[in-house]
Amino acid sequence: RWLTTHKAIDSEMRLQANIISGKNAGNPILHNFSDFNQTLKSFEEKKTAELGTPFKLSGEQINAAKNILMHGDAYQGIQGEAGTGKTAALAMVKDVAEQRGWQVLGIATSSSAARELENSSGIKSCTVASFFVEKENAIRLAKIEINELKSACDAIGLRHKQTTSRIETKRL
């Protein structure tokens, strides 16, 4: 038997809706296998230099990184048992994405999982619930700033007051 809260269910439902709406709505970070193979080689060379011993991602880690970096969905996830190499695959994703100007954010279902993800991978992480709170606050703030800008433009006469319809019709 499982117990949960309405708030947790709501967060999960919003996450699911976002994931579904993000299908084929994202932009892949890498667009071809040649780019991926080059970035893989560079990452492994960098890690080898950092560690002082040869470093190679496993086939599963390479596939996970490839799926995240080359997939067209807006949201990507990685799941696996403890010790299977998720952190190493995510480290490559983080390096490659940030080098190309992307922001990488980890999202977990619990605060302890978010802390572990952040501590082990270096990826800024939060819970599903806090992700939605931050997103909603950012939207609210943007709306306030837009309204303030509109008011400032109105005050100095920069905004055109629409008094007539912008739709015109012509008989052919």
Side-chain angles (χ1 to χ4, degrees), residues 7-119:
K7 187 176 177 181
I9 292 170
D10 183 51
S11 288
E12 291 291 330
M13 297 302 289
R14 287 190 294 166
L15 178 61
Q16 180 183 16
N18 273 287
I19 290 170
I20 290 169
S21 70
K23 290 283 188 191
N24 297 313
N27 296 308
I29 296 167
L30 298 175
H31 298 279
N32 61 61
F33 291 108
S34 164
D35 286 347
F36 178 81
N37 291 332
Q38 181 56 46
T39 57
L40 172 63
K41 181 181 176 194
S42 296
F43 177 76
E44 290 177 337
E45 288 172 354
K46 177 183 139 188
K47 293 300 281 182
T48 295
E50 286 175 6
L51 300 171
T53 59
F55 179 89
K56 293 279 186 199
L57 291 176
S58 71
E60 286 184 7
Q61 291 168 319
I62 291 169
N63 284 336
K66 189 183 306 174
N67 284 338
I68 293 171
L69 293 168
M70 297 184 72
H71 205 282
D73 289 348
Y75 299 95
Q76 298 296 320
I78 185 169
Q79 180 179 344
E81 298 293 325
T84 58
K86 298 178 298 294
T87 300
L90 288 172
M92 179 185 168
V93 168
K94 179 181 184 290
D95 280 6
V96 172
E98 288 178 348
Q99 286 171 8
R100 286 166 172 71
W102 288 75
Q103 177 187 11
V104 180
L105 176 66
I107 300 175
T109 55
S110 71
S111 58
S112 60
R115 271 192 307 277
E116 174 61 26
L117 175 60
E118 187 165 329
N119 292 337

Side-chain angles (χ1 to χ4, degrees), residues 119-139:
N119 292 337
S120 64
S121 68
I123 295 172
K124 181 181 182 294
S125 301
C126 63
T127 63
V128 173
S130 66
F131 170 76
F132 285 116
V133 168
E134 283 187 37
K135 185 176 177 181
E136 289 164 3
N137 285 341
I139 291 169

